[in-house]
Amino acid sequence: MPVIKIDTGRSGAKVGRYLSLDRAGGERCEAFLSNTAAGNPGQAELQFRATRESYGKAEGRQFFQAYISFQRDDLGSLTSPDGRPNWERIAAYGRQWAERFEVAQRHEYYIAAHGDKPHPHIHVV
């Protein structure tokens, strides 16, 4: 069963960089989905910023994030036939979560799937 943590943040640009790039500047996003035209978290944040500014919300809390992590032996249908994480399916799980809890219907969002920790996880921002 996945573990879900929810938090907020004041720097959308910072979280976009963190979710896009590792410490060496390499790509760290295994899969990406969004209801915007963005192709990665950094581009999504630029679109989010334009939306915030158009509504006069450039200051204060800038995003909510759901962090959903899985144990490797609990991935079930979210694996490839060889048993490795299927990143597209894991990201699609995030989209289903966003739709179920009406994030997708009411907000711009993106999903970044990561395998840089022992447990596969996604960020729904």
Side-chain angles (χ1 to χ4, degrees):
M1 171 175 261
V3 174
I4 301 171
K5 299 175 185 174
I6 306 221
D7 70 2
T8 65
R10 291 186 174 269
S11 176
K14 186 175 178 181
V15 78
R17 281 190 306 276
Y18 171 75
L19 296 178
S20 292
L21 305 171
D22 63 21
R23 291 178 192 244
E27 183 65 37
R28 78 182 281 246
C29 195
E30 302 287 348
F32 176 82
L33 291 173
S34 180
N35 67 350
T36 70
N40 63 51
Q43 291 173 353
E45 173 46 37
L46 291 174
Q47 292 181 20
F48 288 11
R49 182 183 328 151
T51 300
R52 285 192 304 271
E53 289 173 357
S54 71
Y55 283 94
K57 303 277 186 179
E59 300 297 322
R61 182 178 54 227
Q62 293 188 354
F63 66 91
F64 287 92
Q65 172 183 212
Y67 174 90
I68 305 171
S69 62
F70 306 88
Q71 295 298 319
R72 286 193 181 265
D73 59 351
D74 195 29
L75 285 173
S77 65
L78 303 177
T79 60
S80 299
D82 62 5
R84 291 184 300 165
N86 182 312
W87 297 109
E88 287 74 26
R89 287 183 188 162
I90 291 171
Y93 180 96
R95 176 174 281 164
Q96 291 170 352
W97 184 90
E99 290 170 355
R100 180 175 180 194
F101 293 100
E102 298 185 12
V103 172
Q105 294 87 334
R106 300 181 348 192
H107 303 283
E108 293 175 311
Y109 74 93
Y110 65 85
I111 298 157
H114 291 138
D116 58 341
K117 306 241 179 188
H119 54 280
H121 60 280
I122 54 179
H123 302 259
V124 180
V125 180

